[in-house]
């Protein structure tokens, strides 16, 4: 009878080493959800490593795909801006007139006479040498 009273007053969760401290229950590790949690935690812990390996292995194709997407997005933005400019009254015809005027000036200044064409070629060669060096 004395042992029965002692069992009732000493709960299983209390530590006998230090009064008032709880011990780990052995039944906590036997729960079925922990069988599924451990592999998921392991996989999630290795995700940065997997991503790093993937990017290091496929660096050039990913760069190419990224540049293609960037080019497509840039073209769409430019088309949208030009469409918005075209919707402004009198601005599109004004810009067309400016473009035609500059084209006429360029033809008159550089392409009309042979001496002016030689001058234009000399300017192109100077720019090419400045950019790529004298060996180009």
């Amino acid at each position: 009878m004395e042992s029965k009273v002692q069992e009732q007053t000493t709960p299983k969760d209390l530590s006998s080493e230090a009064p008032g401290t709880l011990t780990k229950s052995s039944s906590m590790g036997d729960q079925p959800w922990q069988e599924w949690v451990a592999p998921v935690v392991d996989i999630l812990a290795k995700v940065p490593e997997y991503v790093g390996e993937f990017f290091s292995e496929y660096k050039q194709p990913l760069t190419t795909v990224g540049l293609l997407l960037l080019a497509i997005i840039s073209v769409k933005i430019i088309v949208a801006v030009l469409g918005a400019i075209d919707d402004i009254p009198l601005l599109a015809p004004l810009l067309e007139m400016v473009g035609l005027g500059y084209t006429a000036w360029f033809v008159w200044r550089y392409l009309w006479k042979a001496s002016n064409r030689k001058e234009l070629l000399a300017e192109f060669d100077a720019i090419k040498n400045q950019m790529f060096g004298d060996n180009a």
Side-chain angles (χ1 to χ4, degrees):
M1 182 144 153
E2 190 174 302
S3 64
K4 193 174 189 183
V5 172
Q6 190 176 13
E7 283 181 27
Q8 290 176 353
T9 58
T10 310
K12 295 178 189 177
D13 293 343
L14 288 180
S15 173
S16 60
E17 296 170 1
T21 59
L22 295 175
T23 59
K24 282 191 173 182
S25 176
S26 62
S27 64
M28 292 289 281
D30 297 335
Q31 294 190 8
W33 59 271
Q34 286 186 347
E35 294 175 10
W36 298 94
V37 170
V40 171
V41 169
D42 289 340
I43 290 172
L44 290 177
K46 293 180 183 177
V47 166
E49 181 181 327
Y50 294 149
V51 170
E53 288 176 9
F54 179 79
F55 280 116
S56 65
E57 186 174 342
Y58 298 108
K59 186 175 187 178
Q60 187 173 2
L62 288 173
T63 303
T64 303
V65 168
L67 288 174
L68 286 174
L69 288 174
L70 185 65
I72 290 170
I73 292 170
S74 299
V75 167
K76 287 190 176 255
I77 290 173
I78 289 171
V79 167
V81 168
L82 289 176
I85 289 174
D86 194 33
D87 289 340
I88 298 174
L90 297 177
L91 186 61
L94 177 69
L95 292 176
E96 287 178 14
M97 293 302 292
V98 169
L100 288 172
Y102 183 76
T103 301
W105 173 83
F106 185 83
V107 168
W108 179 261
R109 171 71 177 93
Y110 289 112
L111 302 178
W112 198 259
K113 297 180 183 176
S115 61
N116 292 347
R117 287 191 296 266
K118 288 180 183 177
E119 179 185 343
L120 179 64
L121 288 175
E123 286 183 29
F124 277 141
D125 286 337
I127 292 171
K128 185 175 72 171
N129 289 336
Q130 185 180 9
M131 290 177 66
F132 301 115
D134 292 332
N135 296 333

